[in-house]
Amino acid sequence: MWFLFIVGLLCGYFMIAWTPTVEPFVLEVFLTDIIFDPMKTFFALVSFFIGFISNAILIRAATWHTLQAWRKETTNRKEQFLSYSVLLTFFILAIIDVKKTIIFFLFSFAYGMMSMSVYKEREN
């Protein structure tokens, strides 16, 4: 779980750092920045993909542990604590760039919730 926390945080940071910031947002300028720096764009996309998968696993685990605690079932406290560390990840990334962090969080949350049934079946 610590590994997922560190990977999610680092990949989120690199995704934010490597995607172009265009204020105010103009699509043409954004696309031009992406096209004329393909390596940076590629690494930003890879970081986004790896980071949102890592955070989705933590979100899924946090949700699962919360449901177990709600039903008063026994849980692994260390794993539960580490899975809640995903909130710290998004807080730190939001300090850097709120808009990109919201997009990163939405992808992570959606994927984490979609894979919840698979996780629940595996745990039982």
Side-chain angles (χ1 to χ4, degrees):
M1 286 287 179
W2 278 110
F3 180 72
L4 291 173
F5 168 71
I6 292 169
V7 167
L9 182 63
L10 286 176
C11 286
Y13 173 75
F14 289 136
M15 182 270 305
I16 289 171
W18 289 333
T19 51
T21 302
V22 180
E23 290 294 329
F25 185 78
V26 178
L27 183 62
E28 292 82 16
V29 175
F30 180 75
L31 292 176
T32 303
D33 287 348
I34 287 175
I35 290 169
F36 287 122
D37 203 353
M39 289 302 289
K40 200 173 180 183
T41 302
F42 174 74
F43 288 129
L45 290 173
V46 169
S47 293
F48 176 79
F49 182 72
I50 293 171
F52 97 78
I53 295 291
S54 298
N55 287 325
I57 292 169
L58 290 173
I59 289 172
R60 180 182 63 198
T63 305
W64 180 249
H65 287 297
T66 303
L67 290 173
Q68 283 182 324
W70 188 270
R71 289 184 252 153
K72 298 186 185 340
E73 297 174 2
T74 60
T75 61
N76 183 347
R77 296 290 181 190
K78 182 180 176 186
E79 189 175 316
Q80 185 176 9
F81 173 74
L82 290 175
S83 65
Y84 290 136
S85 67
V86 72
L87 298 174
L88 181 63
T89 298
F90 290 117
F91 179 74
I92 292 170
L93 293 176
I95 292 171
I96 299 169
D97 191 339
V98 175
K99 292 177 186 176
K100 293 176 188 175
T101 302
I102 290 171
I103 293 169
F104 194 55
F105 171 76
L106 291 175
F107 272 87
S108 300
F109 185 78
Y111 186 75
M113 293 300 103
M114 285 189 304
S115 63
M116 189 70 180
S117 63
V118 173
Y119 187 71
K120 186 172 82 172
E121 290 173 4
R122 188 184 70 176
E123 287 290 316
N124 292 334

